[in-house]
Amino acid sequence: MRHLLAIPLAALVIGAAGAASAVAQDTDQRRALALLVEARGSPAVQAAEREVEAATRSAMLRLDEGFAAREARSRALGEEVARARQDGDNAKLNLLAGEAEQLRAYFADLRQRAGADPMLVAARQRLEEAMMARMTELDPEAPALIARVRATMGN
């Protein structure tokens, strides 16, 4: 759901009818984004987001026994970068930047593979349901609004 509204707005406007349509789409996307942001403040939504994070980490642990060590290294890397910056050690910073990029790629790949985990899929579904429930509490027209936004984005 989060990525639903992350796509940049773009519209090719031809004539007045096209401009009106683009304005309506922009308005819908802005309303949906505002509802999404407000809904994320809900305790139920925050709990569902934590569940997704925990399910993601759990799936990643199951997929790769080296995950925990790389996760710890990633946390330690931040401290090393801070020390190298403080010391003005550019050579060390360059080495750490390379390692950080490798870790970023590793986590991105592992996160993508973890996405198919049934527990994570179920947690994401519960998050989407919690988001929609809260958005509907805030604006009863939210389901229709989200459907229009999804339709304009081809989802």
Side-chain angles (χ1 to χ4, degrees):
M1 182 80 145
R2 272 189 250 174
H3 75 280
L4 170 70
L5 301 173
I7 297 173
L9 299 175
L12 176 60
V13 179
I14 300 175
S21 176
V23 168
Q25 289 174 7
D26 182 56
T27 300
D28 280 351
Q29 288 176 339
R30 287 177 192 269
R31 279 183 56 209
L33 182 58
L35 279 172
L36 180 71
V37 169
E38 190 170 348
R40 288 194 68 208
S42 159
V45 170
Q46 290 174 355
E49 286 177 341
R50 286 190 300 275
E51 181 185 358
V52 167
E53 290 170 14
T56 300
R57 186 174 187 283
S58 179
M60 292 168 82
L61 279 165
R62 283 191 302 277
L63 285 170
D64 188 337
E65 62 188 41
F67 169 75
R70 287 185 174 157
E71 183 181 43
R73 177 61 187 141
S74 180
R75 281 193 292 274
L77 199 61
E79 296 169 10
E80 287 185 40
V81 166
R83 279 194 302 276
R85 280 191 181 137
Q86 185 178 7
D87 296 343
D89 189 345
N90 288 332
K92 179 76 171 180
L93 284 170
N94 286 335
L95 287 173
L96 294 173
E99 185 179 358
E101 177 55 28
Q102 289 175 344
L103 285 169
R104 186 211 56 76
Y106 163 80
F107 287 121
D109 176 64
L110 189 57
R111 183 176 298 275
Q112 182 177 354
R113 290 189 294 138
D117 182 87
M119 289 176 27
L120 179 53
V121 170
R124 283 186 180 144
Q125 180 64 36
R126 286 188 293 276
L127 172 59
E128 187 168 335
E129 289 167 1
M131 286 290 281
M132 187 56 72
R134 179 61 182 139
M135 290 170 66
T136 303
E137 287 173 12
L138 295 167
D139 182 348
E141 294 182 25
L145 174 66
I146 296 303
R148 283 194 309 271
V149 171
R150 283 182 172 162
T152 64
M153 295 171 64
N155 291 332

